[in-house]
Amino acid sequence: MKAETYSEALAHAWHITWHQKRLWTLGLLAAFIGSAGSLEFVTKFYYAALGERGEDILTKLQSLSFTYQGETVLLWVMSLLLIALGLAVIGFFMVVFVSAQGGLVYAVEEAEHAEKLDVAKLFNHGRKRLGRLLILNIVKWAIVSLLLYLTWLGAGFLRSGTEALWKPAVFLAMSVVVLVVGLTAVFLTLYAVCYVSLHDKSLKEAVLDAWALFVDHWLVSLEMAIIMFAIGFLFGLAAVAGVLLLSTPVFLSLIIAVLSSNPGILLAGITIGFVALLLWVLWLAAVYTTFAMSAWTVLFMQMSRHGF
């Protein structure tokens, strides 16, 4: 595989995505940890800059209030057990999602030599490197969460108190720093994951090599991120169009139910519409994540082998 232009890299990634449909399973699992690259971070940054609370734990911790004073010991024990159970469930799914991410990266290299890929083999490949991949994803998540929280605080500070000319300038400077640091963390994680999954590097070696690769190709990384963001936007438009189209059964069932006074028809229409919408969104997420991870991996392989 040799991709000397962005179009060649994207074409190769799409070829893998469309002709290796078994990878969509890994893509769907990897989508839950934001494996697609910069799109998720930029989207969350946009909402944080508007002052909206995100789903990151730092913004949620601030809104928590504990009202267990005077409650029984049994309530505390039950609460701790529920928390432990929740953490165990989260841990299990993280193992699955991260293993799928590592397998998806490895699949791009395997696709050079095999016409049909074994999803179970790819998943086990990622699972064997679980510790290093998990640490990389957790560190990236922590950095991104902190940056988004700081952005949210900055947006609140911008809107609070008296107006001053220096406030927008400070917030703009902070936003630039957040974007630069956040995107750098995303790029380093992508490349480090590739080094671990493709070259079985140690965690330290993967991070150092990822940094060296990024320093040599920072402009290429940024340009690729812009291209993938544009493609992600197109996928978003497709999702909206699909939602509007698949909402038709709901509206038709509503009209028929009103005319026939039969609520069962409305319930059936809502059920069919909901299932169709869910399948459509999950399919798009699987395809986009598979394509995005393939594109970044193809770019990584080209940069690390021949330069770009």
Side-chain angles (χ1 to χ4, degrees):
M1 185 276 298
K2 192 172 183 180
E4 298 181 345
T5 64
Y6 294 115
S7 59
E8 291 179 358
L10 295 174
H12 188 71
W14 182 251
H15 177 83
I16 294 173
T17 301
W18 194 250
H19 289 85
Q20 301 288 347
K21 295 181 176 61
R22 296 179 180 181
L23 296 180
W24 294 354
T25 303
L26 297 179
L28 179 59
L29 294 174
F32 287 98
I33 54 173
S35 299
S38 58
L39 177 62
E40 183 187 24
F41 169 69
V42 174
T43 303
K44 287 184 176 181
F45 169 79
Y46 171 76
Y47 285 110
L50 294 178
E52 305 241 353
R53 282 178 179 264
E55 297 178 356
D56 298 284
I57 192 168
L58 290 174
T59 57
K60 286 190 175 296
L61 284 177
Q62 194 176 53
S63 63
L64 288 177
S65 60
F66 298 93
T67 57
Y68 290 117
Q69 290 86 352
E71 298 293 344
T72 63
V73 175
L74 179 61
L75 180 59
W76 274 98
V77 173
M78 291 179 62
S79 300
L80 291 175
L81 287 176
L82 287 175
I83 292 174
L85 178 61
L87 291 176
V89 172
I90 292 173
F92 169 77
F93 281 110
M94 283 296 295
V95 169
V96 174
F97 299 155
V98 172
S99 298
Q101 181 193 55
L104 193 56
V105 170
Y106 183 61
V108 177
E109 185 177 64
E110 284 291 285
E112 291 185 285
H113 316 291
E115 292 185 4
K116 290 186 178 181
L117 300 177
D118 187 344
V119 174
K121 177 183 176 182
L122 296 173
F123 182 86
N124 287 330
H125 178 89
R127 183 180 56 80
K128 291 177 181 178
R129 293 152 180 77
L130 176 64
R132 286 166 287 173
L133 296 176
L134 188 60
I135 291 174
L136 289 171
N137 280 277
I138 290 176
V139 171
K140 184 200 76 170
W141 171 82
I143 293 173
V144 168
S145 296
L146 177 60
L147 292 173
L148 294 175
Y149 181 67
L150 292 176
T151 304
W152 176 73
L153 289 179
F157 175 74
L158 181 64
R159 292 167 175 78
S160 64
T162 58
E163 295 184 0
L165 294 177
W166 57 270
K167 279 188 176 183
V170 171
F171 181 69
L172 178 61
M174 186 193 75
S175 298
V176 172
V177 173
V178 166
L179 276 175
V180 170
V181 175
L183 288 174
T184 300
V186 171
F187 296 146
L188 290 180
T189 302
L190 285 170
Y191 298 151
V193 166
C194 288
Y195 274 117
V196 170
S197 187
L198 298 180
H199 302 295
D200 204 20
K201 297 270 189 176
S202 67
L203 187 62
K204 180 179 179 181
E205 289 175 335
V207 173
L208 292 177
D209 289 347
W211 173 254
L213 189 68
F214 171 71
V215 170
D216 291 338
H217 300 87
W218 66 269
L219 184 57
V220 172
S221 302
L222 181 59
E223 291 172 346
M224 186 65 167
I226 295 173
I227 294 172
M228 294 307 302
F229 185 84
I231 295 175
F233 180 76
L234 295 178
F235 268 82
L237 291 180
V240 173
V243 168
L244 294 176
L245 181 63
L246 294 173
S247 298
T248 303
V250 178
F251 293 114
L252 290 177
S253 63
L254 176 62
I255 295 173
I256 296 174
V258 171
L259 295 176
S260 63
S261 300
N262 187 348
I265 297 177
L266 177 60
L267 179 60
I270 292 176
T271 303
I272 294 173
F274 175 77
V275 172
L277 289 174
L278 180 62
L279 292 176
W280 172 248
V281 172
L282 291 178
W283 180 77
L284 277 180
V287 173
Y288 176 73
T289 304
T290 303
F291 170 69
M293 284 300 297
S294 298
W296 281 107
T297 305
V298 169
L299 182 71
F300 166 83
M301 293 168 64
Q302 177 65 30
M303 290 189 302
S304 60
R305 291 176 180 178
H306 313 288
F308 194 91

